Amino acid sequence: MQFADIQEARDFLAAHPEVRSIELMLIDANGIPRGKLLHREELLAIYQNGRPLPSSILALTMQGEDVEATGLVWEVADADCWTYPLPGSLTLQPWRSTPTGQLQVSMHPTQGLPAAPADPRHALVRVIDRLKADGFYPVMAVELEFYLLDKQRDASGRPQPAVQMNGVRPEAPQVYGVYELEQVQPFLDDLYAACEAQGLPVRTAISEYAPGQLELTLEHRFDALQAVDEGLRYKRLVKGVANKHGLQACFMAKPFGDLAGSGMHMHVSLADEQGNNLYASEDPQGTPLLRHSIGGMMATLLDSLAIFCPNANSFRRFQANSYAPLAKSWGVNNRTVSFRVPGGPAVSRHIEHRICGADANPYLAAAAILAGIHHGIREQIDPGAAIVGNGYEQATEFLPTDWLTALRALEASTWAREALGEEFLKVFLAIKKTEYRQFMAEVGEQDWRWYLNHA
């Protein structure tokens, strides 16, 4: 595990004498930033000696409640566990009303015990290291859809798309509408400026397939860990910029039953140590390595579905003709399948994993995707014939549509224990089972109330 050098902090403090506070954040099992707001005088000590956080910080439900069954609360006396800064994560939060910094930390592998095995970033690091040991260097990009909502609810107390600059609340999908992007220009201007300040490689903005739904793409990175780090920081940034504009950025998988869900599409390829794309081929279906990679993701899909779809609401996104997948399927230049090989020149050949909801933890989703790819390569798994045409009409092996089935499959999976780590899986399942019980007992159909402020 690589942590940041103290010179990074010295340079930041010298360059930003105006900054008085720094948000320290650790990403929990649900992908939610947890941490503290620190004074600038505390920063250097974190780089020198680390910063203790309670073991229970990685044992929380989405609502921020302790889960005793994780073994990280009372039985370890809620012990202090040391975290250290991640390289390149010290930056500004331009959306704050006063100059504020941001620093991401991760658990130290030994000083962070007993909580360290529950750090979701560690799970991804282990999977990447195993791939690199076999000569495969994963290249990734994270693509997140989200809704811009009013903070004010409608007359029934339900969420609603934000009013545009023209004073009109959007009602039509207007997918790819450029006028719709113009109507949120002040938000987009601040978002791009904040991304530039944080060094996040944000590119194209798109009006998605629902009123108030947007997507901005992030550039792919040769370093998959960097790509996922940036995806997490981007999500934090979008929420912050939206809040500055009096809006709410919602990454819930299905906030509206009659509108499109929000997905997290993960783009992935494998390179050699020099950065050459090992999927590159003039054949649109890619190399045998690419097809084995898809075969592995298909073979481990049920085992990892509770990672890709971590909440009850996640499964409401799976509907026919909705641009969300329904089955174990792959195809070339085909948005009706789960694993899409986009068109383009040979050198750009890669796989788009389309299953995750925007509520998934990017660290865990990437770990499960890459571990599935590695499994497919080692076992030389054939994915079968590519789907041509409408994948919804040709679907045979449908994905489960309920949370409990996915949780049971993950719990029973030998592959998942090996891929993600036994200790991590114990903590994750304890958290999600607790949430499942709470949801069934307390929330029922009103699931949007439960997730809206956290997804």
Side-chain angles (χ1 to χ4, degrees):
M1 179 69 67
Q2 182 182 2
F3 294 110
D5 187 88
I6 193 171
Q7 191 59 44
E8 187 176 294
R10 293 190 180 114
D11 292 344
F12 179 86
L13 293 174
H16 300 288
E18 77 284 3
V19 169
R20 309 311 304 168
S21 300
I22 296 161
E23 179 181 285
L24 178 144
M25 66 177 192
L26 174 78
I27 306 302
D28 75 2
N30 277 306
I32 297 173
R34 309 278 184 187
K36 301 181 178 184
L37 193 62
L38 308 176
H39 197 268
R40 69 178 280 126
E41 275 73 23
E42 299 178 85
L43 183 63
L44 290 179
I46 299 171
Y47 280 76
Q48 290 172 321
N49 307 310
R51 181 77 184 202
L53 292 173
S55 57
S56 60
I57 199 169
L58 290 176
L60 300 172
T61 66
M62 187 172 278
Q63 301 281 43
E65 302 160 322
D66 288 340
V67 178
E68 294 181 35
T70 60
L72 294 177
V73 189
W74 307 126
E75 65 186 82
V76 295
D78 199 12
D80 276 342
C81 301
W82 263 256
T83 65
Y84 283 82
L86 298 178
S89 71
L90 180 57
T91 184
L92 296 172
Q93 289 188 332
W95 59 87
R96 292 271 197 169
S97 58
T98 57
T100 303
Q102 176 181 294
L103 178 66
Q104 186 178 349
V105 297
S106 184
M107 286 287 171
H108 191 279
T110 55
Q111 296 176 35
L113 294 172
D119 187 331
R121 191 175 187 271
H122 288 210
L124 176 56
V125 169
R126 287 192 297 270
V127 174
I128 291 174
D129 285 348
R130 288 196 291 267
L131 275 166
K132 287 182 177 179
D134 282 353
F136 303 116
Y137 290 74
V139 178
M140 296 196 82
V142 180
E143 202 174 83
L144 280 158
E145 298 167 336
F146 63 94
Y147 276 87
L148 268 186
L149 305 177
D150 267 348
K151 288 186 177 177
Q152 284 291 120
R153 303 293 179 247
D154 67 14
S156 302
R158 300 185 70 83
Q160 54 186 346
V163 174
Q164 298 175 333
M165 283 176 60
N166 60 8
V168 174
R169 190 180 309 285
E171 295 181 355
Q174 295 297 358
V175 64
Y176 302 122
V178 292
Y179 180 73
E180 282 63 35
L181 295 176
E182 180 184 341
Q183 293 306 305
V184 292
Q185 191 67 48
F187 166 77
L188 289 177
D189 286 346
D190 279 356
L191 190 151
Y192 275 112
C195 286
E196 184 175 356
Q198 292 201 349
L200 300 179
V202 174
R203 299 294 180 258
T204 306
I206 303 166
S207 175
E208 273 292 348
Y209 195 58
Q213 190 184 39
L214 298 170
E215 176 189 88
L216 284 85
T217 59
L218 288 165
E219 185 108 354
H220 72 276
R221 295 294 199 186
F222 176 70
D223 181 345
L225 185 60
Q226 178 187 2
V228 182
D229 281 338
E230 289 173 345
L232 262 302
R233 294 167 197 163
Y234 167 75
K235 192 172 182 180
R236 171 70 185 97
L237 181 151
V238 172
K239 285 176 172 285
V241 173
N243 189 55
K244 175 186 175 182
H245 284 261
L247 305 170
Q248 183 175 14
C250 176
F251 292 84
M252 190 172 169
K254 191 75 171 176
F256 302 99
D258 57 342
L259 298 176
S262 291
M264 179 175 68
H265 300 160
M266 307 287 276
H267 295 255
V268 60
S269 61
L270 296 178
D272 62 19
E273 193 170 4
Q274 288 72 45
N276 300 303
N277 185 0
L278 299 175
Y279 289 168
S281 171
E282 293 299 334
D283 182 347
Q285 295 194 11
T287 60
L289 187 73
L290 181 149
R291 292 191 287 277
H292 292 149
S293 298
I294 292 175
M297 288 190 290
M298 291 176 72
T300 57
L301 178 53
L302 179 56
D303 292 19
S304 49
L305 194 60
I307 299 287
F308 304 145
C309 304
N311 303 299
N313 178 265
S314 310
F315 294 87
R316 300 188 178 204
R317 182 171 151 263
F318 296 140
Q319 296 177 11
N321 306 318
S322 67
Y323 295 101
L326 289 179
K328 287 184 181 180
S329 57
W330 77 285
V332 176
N333 197 14
N334 189 332
R335 287 186 170 87
T336 69
V337 297
S338 296
F339 307 105
R340 170 179 174 251
V341 181
V347 71
S348 71
R349 199 74 65 224
H350 69 278
I351 303 163
E352 181 188 29
H353 183 284
R354 298 175 57 82
I355 296 162
C356 300
D359 55 343
N361 182 334
Y363 286 134
L364 300 183
I369 289 168
L370 294 178
I373 285 173
H374 205 180
H375 176 68
I377 293 169
R378 285 180 165 176
E379 301 298 324
Q380 302 282 287
I381 298 175
D382 181 4
I387 294 290
V388 177
N390 189 341
Y392 294 115
E393 293 180 347
Q394 301 175 55
T396 54
E397 292 186 70
F398 288 95
L399 301 176
T401 56
D402 70 284
W403 194 11
L404 183 58
T405 297
L407 287 173
R408 285 173 172 166
L410 179 62
E411 186 172 27
S413 173
T414 302
W415 168 84
R417 285 195 293 275
E418 294 173 352
L420 302 176
E422 184 98 37
E423 291 181 83
F424 173 80
L425 202 58
K426 173 196 168 187
V427 171
F428 181 78
L429 283 166
I431 291 169
K432 301 316 290 186
K433 285 175 167 181
T434 298
E435 291 177 350
Y436 173 80
R437 288 191 293 269
Q438 290 176 339
F439 177 81
M440 295 303 292
E442 301 170 14
V443 186
E445 291 299 307
Q446 299 299 314
D447 58 359
W448 60 270
R449 294 184 186 276
W450 211 62
Y451 297 119
L452 190 61
N453 293 323
H454 306 284

